[in-house]
Amino acid sequence: MISVEQHLDRILNTVKVIRPFELGVLDAQGCILAADVEARGSLPGFTNSAMDGYAVHAADIATATAEDPVVLPVVNDIAAGNTQALSLAQGQTMRIMTGAPMPHGADAVVPVEATDGGVVRVAIRERRLAGAHVREAGEDVEAGNVVLRRGTLLGPGQIALLAAAGIARVRVVPRPRVVVVSTGDELVEVGRTPGFGQIVDSNSVMLTAAVTAVGATPFRVGGVPDDARTLMDTLEGQLVRADVIITTGGVSMGAFDTVKEVLSRVGTVQFDKVAMRPGMPQGFGVLGEEQVPVFTLPGNPVSALVSFHVFVAPALRAMAGRPEPSYPPGYVPAVAAEPFTSVPGKMEFVRVVLDDDRARLAGGQGSHMLGALAAADALAVVPADVAEVAAGDELMCLPLLGREGQ
Ligand code: AMP
Ligand code: MG
């Protein structure tokens, strides 16, 4: 029996950051930049108005007050999108809209609210100093400067900056492509009615959703029967598009545990009993020339999802170049709302509902119980040396993926 930490360490020491790749900025959402990015153009690209109003020479309106407005002739209208290079003579004004280019010579904008809104001539009731309501070319970003550093996670704001600064494609660590295979003669495809002795293959949809929730790209293969040849052919066929393969089922002590049987023979996947509940039987290793990491998770749905959170998700984050928060990663503190027991010698992952920081049991804790799993917000982690949790005890909880907005 090995500990959860030992198994996770072996995994994190094996997986590598995926080779960087150039992607369109939108496709790069959620990815980590693999190189510093320099702005092609400045932002703003031209000096423009920050308000709807009148472009002026500030000196012309220095005496303007509500009682004694300065009246100027309006010689032009400049809308956003106007591409003409205009010039403003002293003693004149032009109507200008937000984002429209400032005419040469003008150095301030008087907002329309500080005027009578005239279109032929305008009475300006308030003075503005030079620079007022003007967005200077390059004040935000200067062409040639580094705008985003290597290692930056690309969200909507970063993607907007890249696009605005003239960058359509970026070098990023791509999302890991994750092939999800479930095994078992009892499985039928989602949407089909299982016959007696059969069940719907819920693991492959669950893990596909989990892969999406960590920002990786899933390829769901679905259920394959407990047949060594079929399984090996399936895995070999999938290697070409996989950065990671996840299987479920067939790794415990049953007579038809094909995954273990087949991959033990290959010799690059190691099967261990990990001191945890649920999720004790685990396999991990690499397959094929490209040394694709393979996680063989147990078949019981709760075991499979717990294993995903504890082992697969940190590995996918590492492969995507994301810095992992300190160990244990991503955990939040809570307080037990009720007492419960835990098996000694194993780290237990208890499905809990979180009410602020109070954790109560989410129902049946059997590793086949999807009802309680679906009701849960988090996995409360009870360390191996703890056999009893009292109400009020502090618990570390691992939030379940995709439940953040609840
Ligand atoms: P195994 O690890 O193959 O012995 O399976 C353990 C339990 O998990 C059995 O009750 C299986 O029927 C169930 N199971 C295995 N694969 C799946 C799956 N893809 N979806 C739902 N349950 C499964
Ligand atoms: Mg099975």
Side-chain angles (χ1 to χ4, degrees):
M1 192 101 84
I2 61 173
S3 70
V4 168
E5 289 86 352
Q6 283 171 317
H7 192 56
L8 182 59
D9 280 350
R10 189 161 84 81
I11 290 164
L12 293 179
N13 286 330
T14 304
V15 300
K16 300 187 184 71
V17 177
I18 300 174
R19 203 174 314 124
F21 195 76
E22 199 174 275
L23 288 179
V25 285
L26 257 188
D27 294 326
Q29 181 176 355
C31 295
I32 296 284
L33 269 184
D36 291 355
V37 179
E38 291 173 8
R40 292 243 160 87
S42 292
L43 291 178
F46 51 91
T47 300
N48 68 86
S49 176
M51 300 284 282
D52 294 329
Y54 296 83
V56 295
H57 291 262
D60 288 346
I61 58 157
T63 62
T65 59
E67 299 73 38
D68 190 13
V70 170
V71 178
L72 296 175
V74 180
V75 298
N76 213 333
D77 280 341
I78 320 173
N82 188 312
T83 55
Q84 283 172 283
L86 297 168
S87 241
L88 182 70
Q90 211 104 43
Q92 298 185 337
T93 183
M94 293 179 184
R95 271 211 307 174
I96 192 164
M97 306 305 146
T98 306
M102 285 290 281
H104 185 74
D107 59 4
V109 171
V110 181
V112 69
E113 296 85 346
T115 73
D116 67 356
V119 294
V120 177
R121 49 185 46 249
V122 60
I124 293 174
R125 295 193 290 253
E126 291 171 22
R127 60 184 288 215
R128 285 293 186 277
L129 299 179
H133 310 302
V134 175
R135 303 161 169 168
E136 292 293 338
E139 72 174 17
D140 184 10
V141 168
E142 268 186 60
N145 282 4
V146 170
V147 281
L148 291 178
R149 296 248 167 235
R150 172 200 166 111
T152 303
L153 175 64
L154 297 181
Q158 292 71 33
I159 287 172
L161 172 61
L162 291 170
I167 293 136
R169 300 179 69 75
V170 280
R171 240 182 130 61
V172 293
V173 181
R175 296 158 195 283
R177 297 161 305 160
V178 184
V179 167
V180 178
V181 178
S182 44
T183 68
D185 283 340
E186 71 274 39
L187 303 179
V188 301
E189 178 56 4
V190 181
R192 292 212 12 231
T193 307
F196 179 74
Q198 297 183 315
I199 59 169
V200 173
D201 168 22
S202 58
N203 281 353
S204 72
V205 289
M206 173 181 75
L207 294 173
T208 297
V211 168
T212 303
V214 291
T217 300
F219 295 118
R220 188 175 79 92
V221 172
V224 299
D226 286 315
D227 170 70
R229 186 77 256 153
T230 313
L231 177 63
M232 208 53 222
D233 287 350
T234 304
L235 295 179
E236 278 170 358
Q238 292 296 325
L239 280 174
V240 58
R241 63 169 178 175
D243 296 311
V244 167
I245 294 180
I246 306 174
T247 67
T248 73
V251 290
S252 38
M253 307 302 285
F256 307 101
D257 280 336
T258 318
V259 173
K260 194 170 178 178
E261 178 199 322
V262 165
L263 293 183
S264 295
R265 268 191 254 139
V266 176
T268 52
V269 180
Q270 186 180 319
F271 292 87
D272 286 293
K273 285 186 175 164
V274 178
M276 63 191 287
R277 191 170 84 169
M280 186 179 68
Q282 297 286 339
F284 174 76
V286 294
L287 274 188
E289 250 172 65
E290 298 282 328
Q291 309 241 305
V292 173
V294 182
F295 294 82
T296 68
L297 308 185
N300 273 310
V302 181
S303 312
L305 192 61
V306 167
S307 308
F308 184 92
H309 279 78
V310 177
F311 302 121
V312 185
L316 294 179
R317 286 193 288 264
M319 294 178 78
R322 291 184 184 226
E324 190 72 11
S326 57
Y327 188 83
Y331 289 63
V332 297
V335 166
E338 56 189 312
F340 57 89
T341 56
S342 167
V343 331
K346 287 184 181 175
M347 186 179 274
E348 190 144 340
F349 295 87
V350 181
R351 273 73 70 208
V352 294
V353 176
L354 289 180
D355 240 334
D356 294 327
D357 70 337
R358 289 170 55 78
R360 62 183 164 78
L361 297 184
Q365 296 289 322
S367 61
H368 60 296
M369 291 184 153
L370 282 172
L373 179 67
D377 299 314
L379 302 169
V381 185
V382 184
D385 58 357
V386 174
E388 276 182 38
V389 173
D393 281 359
E394 175 142 321
L395 292 167
M396 291 309 282
C397 292
L398 186 55
L400 285 164
L401 285 162
R403 299 275 292 163
E404 294 86 3
Q406 313 287 310

